Short mmCIF file of all heavy atoms in Angstrom, two decimals:
data_model
loop_
_atom_site.label_atom_id
_atom_site.label_comp_id
_atom_site.label_asym_id
_atom_site.label_seq_id
_atom_site.Cartn_x
_atom_site.Cartn_y
_atom_site.Cartn_z
N PHE A 30 0.83 -1.20 0.00
CA PHE A 30 0.00 0.00 0.00
C PHE A 30 0.86 1.25 0.00
O PHE A 30 0.64 2.20 -0.76
CB PHE A 30 -0.93 -0.01 1.22
CG PHE A 30 -1.75 1.24 1.37
CD1 PHE A 30 -2.91 1.42 0.64
CD2 PHE A 30 -1.35 2.24 2.24
CE1 PHE A 30 -3.66 2.58 0.78
CE2 PHE A 30 -2.09 3.41 2.39
CZ PHE A 30 -3.25 3.57 1.65
N MET A 31 1.88 1.28 0.85
CA MET A 31 2.72 2.46 0.98
C MET A 31 3.52 2.75 -0.28
O MET A 31 3.77 3.91 -0.62
CB MET A 31 3.65 2.32 2.18
CG MET A 31 2.95 2.43 3.52
SD MET A 31 2.14 4.02 3.74
CE MET A 31 3.55 5.10 3.90
N LYS A 32 3.94 1.73 -0.99
CA LYS A 32 4.75 1.93 -2.19
C LYS A 32 3.99 2.71 -3.25
O LYS A 32 4.60 3.35 -4.12
CB LYS A 32 5.21 0.58 -2.74
CG LYS A 32 6.36 -0.04 -1.95
CD LYS A 32 6.77 -1.38 -2.54
CE LYS A 32 7.90 -1.99 -1.71
NZ LYS A 32 8.30 -3.34 -2.22
N MET A 33 2.67 2.68 -3.18
CA MET A 33 1.87 3.42 -4.16
C MET A 33 1.97 4.92 -3.95
O MET A 33 1.71 5.71 -4.87
CB MET A 33 0.41 2.98 -4.10
CG MET A 33 0.16 1.54 -4.49
SD MET A 33 -1.61 1.17 -4.69
CE MET A 33 -2.19 1.35 -2.99
N TYR A 34 2.37 5.34 -2.74
CA TYR A 34 2.34 6.76 -2.41
C TYR A 34 3.70 7.33 -2.04
O TYR A 34 3.82 8.53 -1.80
CB TYR A 34 1.35 7.00 -1.26
CG TYR A 34 -0.03 6.51 -1.61
CD1 TYR A 34 -0.52 5.32 -1.08
CD2 TYR A 34 -0.82 7.21 -2.50
CE1 TYR A 34 -1.78 4.86 -1.43
CE2 TYR A 34 -2.08 6.75 -2.85
CZ TYR A 34 -2.56 5.58 -2.31
OH TYR A 34 -3.80 5.11 -2.68
N GLN A 35 4.71 6.50 -1.98
CA GLN A 35 6.05 6.98 -1.70
C GLN A 35 6.77 7.16 -3.02
O GLN A 35 6.96 6.22 -3.78
CB GLN A 35 6.79 6.00 -0.78
CG GLN A 35 6.18 5.96 0.62
CD GLN A 35 6.83 4.92 1.52
OE1 GLN A 35 7.24 3.87 1.06
NE2 GLN A 35 6.91 5.21 2.80
N VAL A 36 7.17 8.40 -3.30
CA VAL A 36 7.75 8.74 -4.60
C VAL A 36 9.05 7.98 -4.78
O VAL A 36 9.94 8.02 -3.93
CB VAL A 36 7.99 10.26 -4.70
CG1 VAL A 36 8.66 10.61 -6.02
CG2 VAL A 36 6.67 11.01 -4.55
N SER A 37 9.15 7.27 -5.88
CA SER A 37 10.34 6.45 -6.14
C SER A 37 11.45 7.31 -6.71
O SER A 37 11.26 8.48 -7.04
CB SER A 37 10.00 5.32 -7.12
OG SER A 37 9.54 5.88 -8.35
N GLY A 38 12.62 6.71 -6.87
CA GLY A 38 13.75 7.43 -7.42
C GLY A 38 14.67 7.94 -6.34
O GLY A 38 14.36 7.90 -5.15
N SER A 39 15.82 8.40 -6.76
CA SER A 39 16.79 8.94 -5.81
C SER A 39 17.26 10.29 -6.31
O SER A 39 17.06 10.65 -7.46
CB SER A 39 17.99 7.99 -5.68
OG SER A 39 18.61 7.83 -6.94
N MET A 40 17.89 11.05 -5.43
CA MET A 40 18.42 12.34 -5.83
C MET A 40 19.66 12.11 -6.68
O MET A 40 20.70 11.72 -6.19
CB MET A 40 18.75 13.18 -4.60
CG MET A 40 17.54 13.72 -3.91
SD MET A 40 17.89 15.12 -2.84
CE MET A 40 18.76 14.33 -1.52
N LYS A 41 19.51 12.33 -7.96
CA LYS A 41 20.64 12.17 -8.86
C LYS A 41 20.63 13.28 -9.90
O LYS A 41 19.59 13.85 -10.22
CB LYS A 41 20.60 10.80 -9.55
CG LYS A 41 19.35 10.57 -10.40
CD LYS A 41 19.36 9.19 -11.02
CE LYS A 41 18.11 8.94 -11.86
NZ LYS A 41 18.10 7.61 -12.47
N ALA A 42 21.78 13.57 -10.42
CA ALA A 42 21.88 14.64 -11.40
C ALA A 42 21.13 14.26 -12.66
O ALA A 42 21.08 13.10 -13.06
CB ALA A 42 23.35 14.91 -11.71
N ASP A 43 20.56 15.23 -13.33
CA ASP A 43 19.82 15.03 -14.56
C ASP A 43 20.23 16.12 -15.52
O ASP A 43 19.82 17.27 -15.41
CB ASP A 43 18.30 15.10 -14.27
CG ASP A 43 17.47 14.79 -15.50
OD1 ASP A 43 18.06 14.67 -16.59
OD2 ASP A 43 16.24 14.67 -15.36
N THR A 44 21.05 15.76 -16.49
CA THR A 44 21.59 16.76 -17.40
C THR A 44 20.53 17.34 -18.32
O THR A 44 20.73 18.40 -18.91
CB THR A 44 22.72 16.15 -18.25
OG1 THR A 44 22.20 14.99 -18.93
CG2 THR A 44 23.89 15.73 -17.39
N ASP A 45 19.39 16.68 -18.45
CA ASP A 45 18.32 17.18 -19.31
C ASP A 45 17.28 17.97 -18.52
O ASP A 45 16.23 18.33 -19.05
CB ASP A 45 17.62 16.01 -20.02
CG ASP A 45 18.57 15.28 -20.96
OD1 ASP A 45 19.43 15.96 -21.55
OD2 ASP A 45 18.45 14.05 -21.09
N MET A 46 17.58 18.27 -17.27
CA MET A 46 16.61 18.96 -16.42
C MET A 46 16.37 20.37 -16.95
O MET A 46 17.29 21.03 -17.42
CB MET A 46 17.13 19.02 -14.99
CG MET A 46 16.08 19.44 -13.98
SD MET A 46 14.79 18.20 -13.83
CE MET A 46 13.64 19.08 -12.76
N MET A 47 15.12 20.82 -16.88
CA MET A 47 14.80 22.17 -17.31
C MET A 47 15.49 23.19 -16.42
O MET A 47 15.93 22.89 -15.32
CB MET A 47 13.29 22.38 -17.31
CG MET A 47 12.66 22.42 -15.95
SD MET A 47 10.88 22.75 -16.02
CE MET A 47 10.29 21.26 -16.82
N GLN A 48 15.55 24.42 -16.92
CA GLN A 48 16.19 25.50 -16.18
C GLN A 48 15.55 25.66 -14.81
O GLN A 48 14.34 25.59 -14.66
CB GLN A 48 16.07 26.81 -16.96
CG GLN A 48 16.78 27.98 -16.29
CD GLN A 48 16.47 29.30 -16.97
OE1 GLN A 48 15.34 29.57 -17.30
NE2 GLN A 48 17.50 30.09 -17.22
N CYS A 49 16.40 25.88 -13.80
CA CYS A 49 15.88 26.07 -12.46
C CYS A 49 15.11 27.37 -12.35
O CYS A 49 15.25 28.28 -13.18
CB CYS A 49 17.03 26.05 -11.44
SG CYS A 49 17.67 24.40 -11.13
N LYS A 50 14.33 27.46 -11.29
CA LYS A 50 13.51 28.64 -11.06
C LYS A 50 14.10 29.43 -9.90
O LYS A 50 15.16 29.11 -9.40
CB LYS A 50 12.07 28.21 -10.80
CG LYS A 50 11.48 27.42 -11.96
CD LYS A 50 10.12 26.83 -11.65
CE LYS A 50 9.62 25.98 -12.80
NZ LYS A 50 8.30 25.35 -12.52
N GLY A 51 13.40 30.48 -9.47
CA GLY A 51 13.98 31.35 -8.48
C GLY A 51 15.24 31.98 -9.05
O GLY A 51 15.33 32.28 -10.25
N CYS A 52 16.27 32.16 -8.23
CA CYS A 52 17.52 32.75 -8.70
C CYS A 52 18.26 31.85 -9.67
O CYS A 52 19.18 32.29 -10.36
CB CYS A 52 18.42 33.06 -7.51
SG CYS A 52 18.16 34.73 -6.87
N GLY A 53 17.88 30.59 -9.73
CA GLY A 53 18.53 29.67 -10.65
C GLY A 53 18.32 30.02 -12.11
O GLY A 53 19.00 29.50 -12.98
N CYS A 54 17.34 30.91 -12.40
CA CYS A 54 17.09 31.29 -13.80
C CYS A 54 17.81 32.58 -14.18
O CYS A 54 17.62 33.10 -15.28
CB CYS A 54 15.59 31.42 -14.05
SG CYS A 54 14.81 32.80 -13.17
N LYS A 55 18.65 33.11 -13.28
CA LYS A 55 19.35 34.36 -13.57
C LYS A 55 20.39 34.17 -14.66
O LYS A 55 20.91 33.07 -14.90
CB LYS A 55 20.04 34.89 -12.31
CG LYS A 55 19.10 35.46 -11.27
CD LYS A 55 19.85 36.07 -10.11
CE LYS A 55 20.62 37.30 -10.53
NZ LYS A 55 21.19 38.01 -9.37
N LEU A 56 20.73 35.29 -15.31
CA LEU A 56 21.83 35.30 -16.27
C LEU A 56 23.13 35.16 -15.50
O LEU A 56 23.30 35.70 -14.41
CB LEU A 56 21.81 36.63 -17.04
CG LEU A 56 22.75 36.77 -18.24
CD1 LEU A 56 22.32 35.82 -19.35
CD2 LEU A 56 22.73 38.21 -18.74
N GLY A 57 24.08 34.41 -16.06
CA GLY A 57 25.37 34.22 -15.41
C GLY A 57 26.11 35.53 -15.22
O GLY A 57 25.97 36.48 -16.02
N SER A 58 26.95 35.60 -14.20
CA SER A 58 27.62 36.86 -13.85
C SER A 58 28.58 37.31 -14.93
O SER A 58 28.71 38.52 -15.19
CB SER A 58 28.35 36.70 -12.52
OG SER A 58 29.33 35.68 -12.60
N GLN A 59 29.28 36.38 -15.60
CA GLN A 59 30.23 36.78 -16.63
C GLN A 59 29.51 37.45 -17.79
O GLN A 59 29.93 38.50 -18.29
CB GLN A 59 31.03 35.57 -17.13
CG GLN A 59 32.19 35.19 -16.22
CD GLN A 59 33.11 34.18 -16.88
OE1 GLN A 59 32.66 33.27 -17.58
NE2 GLN A 59 34.41 34.34 -16.68
N THR A 60 28.43 36.83 -18.26
CA THR A 60 27.65 37.40 -19.36
C THR A 60 27.09 38.76 -18.96
O THR A 60 27.14 39.73 -19.74
CB THR A 60 26.50 36.46 -19.74
OG1 THR A 60 27.03 35.17 -20.03
CG2 THR A 60 25.74 36.98 -20.94
N LEU A 61 26.56 38.83 -17.74
CA LEU A 61 25.98 40.09 -17.26
C LEU A 61 27.04 41.19 -17.18
O LEU A 61 26.84 42.31 -17.65
CB LEU A 61 25.34 39.86 -15.90
CG LEU A 61 24.76 41.09 -15.19
CD1 LEU A 61 23.62 41.68 -16.00
CD2 LEU A 61 24.29 40.73 -13.79
N ASN A 62 28.18 40.89 -16.57
CA ASN A 62 29.20 41.90 -16.38
C ASN A 62 29.79 42.38 -17.71
O ASN A 62 30.09 43.57 -17.88
CB ASN A 62 30.32 41.37 -15.49
CG ASN A 62 29.89 41.30 -14.04
OD1 ASN A 62 29.00 42.02 -13.61
ND2 ASN A 62 30.52 40.41 -13.27
N THR A 63 29.95 41.46 -18.66
CA THR A 63 30.47 41.85 -19.97
C THR A 63 29.53 42.84 -20.64
O THR A 63 29.95 43.86 -21.21
CB THR A 63 30.66 40.62 -20.86
OG1 THR A 63 31.60 39.74 -20.24
CG2 THR A 63 31.19 41.02 -22.23
N ALA A 64 28.24 42.53 -20.58
CA ALA A 64 27.25 43.44 -21.18
C ALA A 64 27.24 44.78 -20.47
O ALA A 64 27.17 45.84 -21.11
CB ALA A 64 25.87 42.79 -21.14
N LEU A 65 27.30 44.76 -19.14
CA LEU A 65 27.26 46.01 -18.38
C LEU A 65 28.50 46.87 -18.64
O LEU A 65 28.42 48.10 -18.74
CB LEU A 65 27.12 45.72 -16.89
CG LEU A 65 25.75 45.20 -16.44
CD1 LEU A 65 25.79 44.86 -14.95
CD2 LEU A 65 24.67 46.24 -16.70
N ARG A 66 29.65 46.23 -18.75
CA ARG A 66 30.87 46.98 -19.03
C ARG A 66 30.77 47.72 -20.35
O ARG A 66 31.15 48.88 -20.48
CB ARG A 66 32.08 46.05 -19.01
CG ARG A 66 32.50 45.63 -17.62
CD ARG A 66 33.52 44.51 -17.66
NE ARG A 66 33.81 44.02 -16.32
CZ ARG A 66 34.10 42.77 -16.04
NH1 ARG A 66 34.13 41.86 -16.99
NH2 ARG A 66 34.35 42.40 -14.79
N SER A 67 30.25 47.01 -21.36
CA SER A 67 30.08 47.64 -22.66
C SER A 67 29.12 48.81 -22.57
O SER A 67 29.34 49.88 -23.13
CB SER A 67 29.56 46.62 -23.68
OG SER A 67 30.46 45.56 -23.82
N SER A 68 28.03 48.60 -21.83
CA SER A 68 27.02 49.65 -21.69
C SER A 68 27.58 50.86 -20.97
O SER A 68 27.38 52.01 -21.38
CB SER A 68 25.81 49.10 -20.95
OG SER A 68 24.88 50.11 -20.67
N PHE A 69 28.30 50.62 -19.88
CA PHE A 69 28.85 51.74 -19.11
C PHE A 69 29.96 52.45 -19.87
O PHE A 69 30.14 53.65 -19.73
CB PHE A 69 29.36 51.25 -17.75
CG PHE A 69 28.29 51.21 -16.71
CD1 PHE A 69 27.49 50.09 -16.57
CD2 PHE A 69 28.05 52.30 -15.90
CE1 PHE A 69 26.49 50.06 -15.62
CE2 PHE A 69 27.06 52.27 -14.95
CZ PHE A 69 26.26 51.15 -14.80
N ALA A 70 30.69 51.71 -20.71
CA ALA A 70 31.74 52.34 -21.51
C ALA A 70 31.13 53.31 -22.51
O ALA A 70 31.68 54.38 -22.79
CB ALA A 70 32.56 51.28 -22.24
N LEU A 71 29.97 52.95 -23.09
CA LEU A 71 29.32 53.79 -24.07
C LEU A 71 28.64 55.00 -23.43
O LEU A 71 28.50 56.04 -24.04
CB LEU A 71 28.27 52.97 -24.84
CG LEU A 71 28.83 51.89 -25.77
CD1 LEU A 71 27.68 51.04 -26.33
CD2 LEU A 71 29.60 52.53 -26.93
#
């Protein structure tokens, strides 16, 4: 009975996982800083 309601699987990496939410969907700092430097230079 319990096996029907206990979620199977283990915590393992999944390279095909969709983009994370919350702060996990932010633009990377290198990309951001490069763009900002160009903007501030102009």
Side-chain angles (χ1 to χ4, degrees):
F30 175 81
M31 288 299 291
K32 284 179 181 178
M33 295 190 293
Y34 303 104
Q35 292 176 326
V36 177
S37 60
S39 60
M40 286 199 289
K41 60 181 179 180
D43 184 352
T44 56
D45 297 326
M46 193 66 187
M47 70 177 66
Q48 183 188 45
C49 285
K50 301 173 184 178
C52 269
C54 67
K55 287 185 67 171
L56 189 66
S58 60
Q59 279 192 321
T60 305
L61 176 63
N62 286 335
T63 300
L65 288 176
R66 285 169 186 147
S67 299
S68 174
F69 274 87
L71 291 173

